Each structure stands twice: as structure tokens, then as C-alpha cells.
Amino acid sequence: MKLLTLIFCSLMAFSTHAQIRSMIDAPSVYLTSRDIENALSQEGLGLDFGYAIGTHFFMTKISAGVNATADFDAEKIDKTIFVNPFGRLEVGLGKWRSNGQKCAKTNSNAYTLLAKGGLVYNFGTKKADPENLIAERKANFDYFVGAELGLFFIKDMHKNSEYYLSGGYMLESKKIFGELGIRTFLNTLYSRR
């Protein structure tokens, strides 16, 4: 509750200096590595939907999605498939879907460059399988710090697609993660004239 209050107060403070922005990410589709240090051990695909609010220099986002990963070094890859539904809350500082004109016109480029942090709740569970060297997985909270880079061309002020690279460090599981993907987002405050 304290975190949500802090986020709300921060947004109100920023709103005096910059326009509040509201966007729905629907969906984000990406290649993911949940443990970059152990190549091929937790690689797969991800899909999520989210809602973000912020300014050109700050954002907070809540999202829900699913990752499906596998250990491609295992003898029986199908036994290692792990489907993990998750919920995520993140906060970012930097440039958020902006440019020199602050996204004021079409037919121009814009980008995201954020330092991020937040928390994730992983709903996925899996029983241990000693025969195939698979450890038990339980639902849990994890926290992360990281960064995101996104690029897109403003062809429509209401609906657009962004290519992005995101990564960071999970503090509880002590793993480096990465995501490379594309997302479609809707600017909910833009009204067509």
C-alpha cells in the first residue's frame, strides 16, 4: 500500500511539469531468457498485457502475462517445459515513448530508454522430477532492477507498435533475465479530431 501511495504522489508531482500519459500495452510478445548466465536452460516465449501511466520521463506499469520456457540442453526437452503465469508491477525513470517533440507529431521516430525496478509474482508451480534432473518450482514473489530500450516510428498517435529490449537482475532468484520483442500499445488519452 505504501508503494502505491508513493507512486501516486510521484505522478501528481510530475504532472505539474509534464503531461500525464496513459497507455495500454496489448499485447507484448517476446523471446525470453529467464537465466542468461546458464545459456539454453530457461529459454522460451512470453506474452503479456499491461496498463501504464506516467509522463515523458517517468512511468509505472501493471501487467499480467505468461512465460513458457524449456531447458534446451536437457535430454528430454518436453519434460522441462515450464509455463509460468505472472503479475508484475514496475516503475521506470528516463525517456518513455518520447522524442524531442515529445511525440507531438506523426511521421517521426520515438524511443524508450528507462532504468526500471519492480516486483513480480510468479504463479507457476512444478513438481520435482529427480529422474530428469528437474527441481521443484513454487509460486513466489521476486524483485528486479533493470533497463529497457524501445524504438518505434509514430505513424498513428492512438495505436502504435514498439520494438524493445529489456533485461535486468532478479534479486530473490539471483538470475539475469532478458526479453526481446514487439508490443502494440494504445494511447488512451489521445482523442481523434
Side-chain angles (χ1 to χ4, degrees), residues 53-123:
I53 188 168
T55 70
H56 291 277
F57 306 102
F58 170 87
M59 75 88 180
T60 185
K61 179 178 170 183
I62 187 166
S63 55
V66 63
N67 291 319
T69 59
D71 182 350
F72 291 94
D73 274 339
E75 285 185 27
K76 298 180 179 176
I77 294 173
D78 61 316
K79 299 286 186 183
T80 68
I81 294 172
F82 179 59
V83 177
N84 177 43
F86 66 87
R88 178 170 53 206
L89 175 65
E90 58 190 308
V91 176
L93 290 172
K95 278 273 196 188
W96 182 47
R97 296 177 182 164
S98 191
N99 56 20
Q101 296 81 38
K102 294 187 178 178
C103 297
K105 63 180 183 176
T106 56
N107 301 317
S108 63
N109 294 310
Y111 65 96
T112 292
L113 183 57
L114 293 172
K116 299 195 307 183
L119 61 99
V120 178
Y121 186 76
N122 297 300
F123 292 92

Side-chain angles (χ1 to χ4, degrees), residues 34-35 37 42 168-171 173-177:
R34 306 322 294 168
D35 187 0
E37 288 183 305
Q42 291 185 48
Y169 183 71
M170 303 303 290
L171 300 173
S173 57
K174 297 180 172 36
K175 292 180 179 173
I176 298 171
F177 70 93

